[in-house]
Amino acid sequence: MHVADDVIAAVATAAGAASLAVVRVSGAGALDVADGIFRGSSPLAGVAANTMHHGWAVWPRTGGGAGPEGGGPERLDEVVAAVFRAPHSYTREDVVEFSCHGGRLPAQRVLAALLHAGARLARPGEFTLRAFLNGRLDLVQAEAVADLIQAETRAAQDLALSQLAGDLSRRLDALSERLIDALAEVEARVDFAEDVGGIEVPERVIDALGGAAADLGGLLEGAAYARAVREGVRVVMAGRPNVGKSSLFNALLGQERAIVTAVPGTTRDLVSERLEVAGVSVTLVDTAGWREGGDAVEAIGVERARAAAEESYVALWVLDRSAPLEDEDRAIAARLAGRRVLVALNKSDREARLAPASVAALAGVAAHQAIEVSAVTGAGLDALRAALAGVLGAADGGPSLAATVANPRHVEALERARAALERAAGAAREGLPGEIVALEVRESLACIGEVSGRVLGADLLDRIFGRFCVGK
Ligand code: GDP
């Protein structure tokens, strides 16, 4: 992929009624294209950088002819043009941002005029792609821009801001520097064995490799939670009819949402709501009763419930603590085996008739916590939320989100980097030839480079920037 030199344009703000809408133009020649549609006190090509100019956006003259009515050019909107000059702009290219009146039409007409005047419609994320290709942002920062736009909780926004500010990039750069030093030592031994006194990798280099692998491990430690913060998770409620799933769903949300009745199997469909637990956007899904049999409509509900539970991050399995276990409970336990399950022992306001040991003995759920709650009195709800936070990886307030790895692409690359480093340290310890150690260290550096974007193929870039909205 090469740095493009054409002029791109797009509406940068969301469609819909608003006070302002912004149309952005970027590229060498952006000022000339902008002048094609702008009538102000002076042409934008001559104005100073970082200045704003009031004027009118008009349909561009083509072939020197007059406007459509034979009079002056057709007016499109009254605008303010902000002028940025390379390299001091978002893309590091010449950029003009037209602030138009809000609503769909003014910005769309200004955009159409710019396209007529020689700009090309930007692809999703293309402004940020140019910022990356022109070296203003590294890839971690560029991806953080998309995360920032999509963040649904404050923690998710803080995480994106930390990556935009370069916290993760700096840690990875520092790590790469150490690895390059180690690599230089190893390669010096390979190339000039006589001068440096042998080909064996010295102990301190082995330690450095091991230390770097451990640092990567530390970065990856908070990854599960950071990913949950970044992407949000689905928590599906499981449990036989009438154990109090809908009641608990409402209690957790603090509002009446699902239909609660004393008739088994009445929540026929999936009902989902969003809540926040430890900074994670949790989509809580209440499902139709998990009852075998029943009518056809109910059977569809049961099927959807099972499918939903399979797709979810955690299943919140609700049991009625005031009744003994039923075969249906056991059947559900069997289906949940091997999944992340949190157990809520509901109706704790009533006399207990369910021995905790009998729940713990159920296949597949033994390792998970069981929390006593009452959807009716609200007792135990805080403990249930805390336990859910723990399952999400946020126990004790969660690991610090500064410089953690949240993006699955980063996690995957850094795991490969760590594995290569461990192989490098292992090979060095066994006294294998320096070439092998060097090869693994290089592999590790390449993996880290993928994260910052220093070694990336064009297809991967397209995939990454394709998630952006147009105009960003
Ligand atoms: P679902 O079929 O699992 O969704 O169960 P519902 O939420 O519809 O509740 C079934 C019945 O149990 C209703 O009569 C609820 O009022 C009652 N119930 C739910 N939770 C509790 C609880 O914590 N304590 C008591 N005493 N009753 C509850």
Side-chain angles (χ1 to χ4, degrees):
M1 185 165 300
H2 66 288
V3 179
D5 51 10
D6 52 352
V7 175
I8 54 172
V11 179
T13 40
S19 345
L20 291 176
V22 173
V23 183
R24 206 181 227 178
V25 202
S26 178
L31 297 177
D32 291 335
V33 171
D35 273 328
I37 73 148
F38 182 73
R39 298 292 172 269
S41 52
S42 59
L44 299 174
V47 304
N50 305 331
T51 53
M52 302 185 80
H53 305 272
H54 170 259
W56 287 83
V58 298
W59 191 255
R61 271 173 211 270
T62 40
E69 268 89 50
E74 180 191 0
R75 282 176 174 164
L76 304 174
D77 195 14
E78 188 185 14
V79 298
V80 172
V83 175
F84 306 89
R85 285 179 185 273
H88 303 292
S89 72
Y90 184 68
T91 54
R92 282 206 169 159
E93 301 170 336
D94 285 346
V95 170
V96 180
E97 287 180 4
F98 288 103
S99 293
C100 309
H101 286 99
R104 199 170 54 83
L105 279 176
Q108 283 302 339
R109 288 179 75 188
V110 169
L111 175 63
L114 285 166
L115 300 181
H116 198 74
R120 162 174 76 70
L121 185 64
R123 290 187 292 269
E126 198 171 1
F127 290 92
T128 309
L129 173 63
R130 287 187 172 197
F132 165 69
L133 292 174
N134 291 325
R136 200 183 83 79
L137 301 169
D138 71 12
L139 200 54
V140 173
Q141 293 172 310
E143 286 172 297
V145 172
D147 288 353
L148 199 53
I149 294 168
Q150 282 155 20
E152 285 195 336
T153 66
R154 236 189 98 159
Q157 195 209 351
D158 287 346
L159 180 67
L161 281 176
S162 154
Q163 306 217 327
L164 183 62
D167 293 346
L168 178 60
S169 309
R170 273 189 292 278
R171 278 187 68 169
L172 293 179
D173 284 348
L175 198 67
S176 297
E177 285 299 317
R178 281 162 54 200
L179 289 181
I180 289 167
D181 286 346
L183 183 64
E185 291 233 27
V186 175
E187 293 198 330
R189 277 174 170 70
V190 172
D191 295 341
F192 309 104
E194 303 92 62
D195 307 328
V196 293
I199 53 164
E200 224 159 78
V201 178
E203 199 62 39
R204 78 191 133 76
V205 175
I206 299 177
D207 287 349
L209 295 177
D215 280 2
L216 273 178
L219 267 180
L220 289 164
E221 214 159 73
Y225 173 56
R227 182 171 179 184
V229 166
R230 176 176 180 262
E231 296 174 4
V233 296
R234 266 162 76 85
V235 175
V236 168
M237 307 187 76
R240 69 176 161 78
N242 242 17
V243 290
K245 291 183 299 299
S246 303
S247 309
L248 197 55
F249 178 85
N250 289 328
L252 281 168
L253 293 166
Q255 68 189 62
E256 280 297 308
R257 179 68 177 77
I259 315 152
V260 182
T261 69
V263 185
T266 38
T267 316
R268 287 235 157 133
D269 222 332
L270 303 184
V271 185
S272 66
E273 282 284 342
R274 209 179 69 80
L275 70 157
E276 195 177 321
V277 177
V280 176
S281 170
V282 172
T283 304
L284 187 64
V285 185
D286 187 16
T287 57
W290 288 52
R291 201 172 56 153
E292 306 291 347
D295 63 25
V297 180
E298 200 171 282
I300 294 169
V302 171
E303 218 21 70
R304 289 190 61 180
R306 286 181 194 159
E310 244 122 66
E311 284 163 22
S312 71
Y313 184 83
V314 189
L316 178 57
W317 182 29
V318 187
L319 283 161
D320 182 347
R321 202 199 62 151
S322 71
L325 273 188
E326 293 185 8
D327 284 347
E328 236 175 309
D329 294 317
R330 294 191 188 89
I332 291 168
R335 258 196 313 270
L336 293 175
R339 297 191 40 79
R340 236 185 244 111
V341 179
L342 184 63
V343 179
L345 299 172
N346 192 32
K347 309 198 186 180
S348 66
D349 53 298
R350 289 201 187 152
E351 196 192 327
R353 295 189 55 209
L354 182 64
S358 63
V359 177
L362 286 176
V365 293
H368 302 280
Q369 285 193 74
I371 310 291
E372 302 201 342
V373 291
S374 168
V376 167
T377 66
L381 282 179
D382 287 344
L384 186 61
R385 279 176 162 268
L388 183 54
V391 175
L392 298 174
D396 307 324
S400 156
L401 286 173
T404 46
V405 192
N407 183 321
R409 187 184 76 78
H410 302 171
V411 172
E412 191 269 329
L414 293 182
E415 264 162 5
R416 276 188 282 121
R418 177 169 57 163
L421 271 188
E422 277 163 0
R423 288 196 302 272
R429 254 182 238 113
E430 283 172 37
L432 291 177
E435 283 96 333
I436 294 178
V437 179
L439 200 74
E440 297 290 8
V441 177
R442 280 186 182 283
E443 166 69 16
S444 178
L445 276 166
C447 296
I448 296 173
E450 280 177 34
V451 175
S452 56
R454 282 180 201 105
V455 224
L456 269 188
D459 52 336
L460 193 53
L461 285 182
D462 283 344
R463 229 184 321 136
I464 291 164
F465 286 93
R467 316 177 26 232
F468 282 68
C469 21
V470 174
K472 192 67 220 180

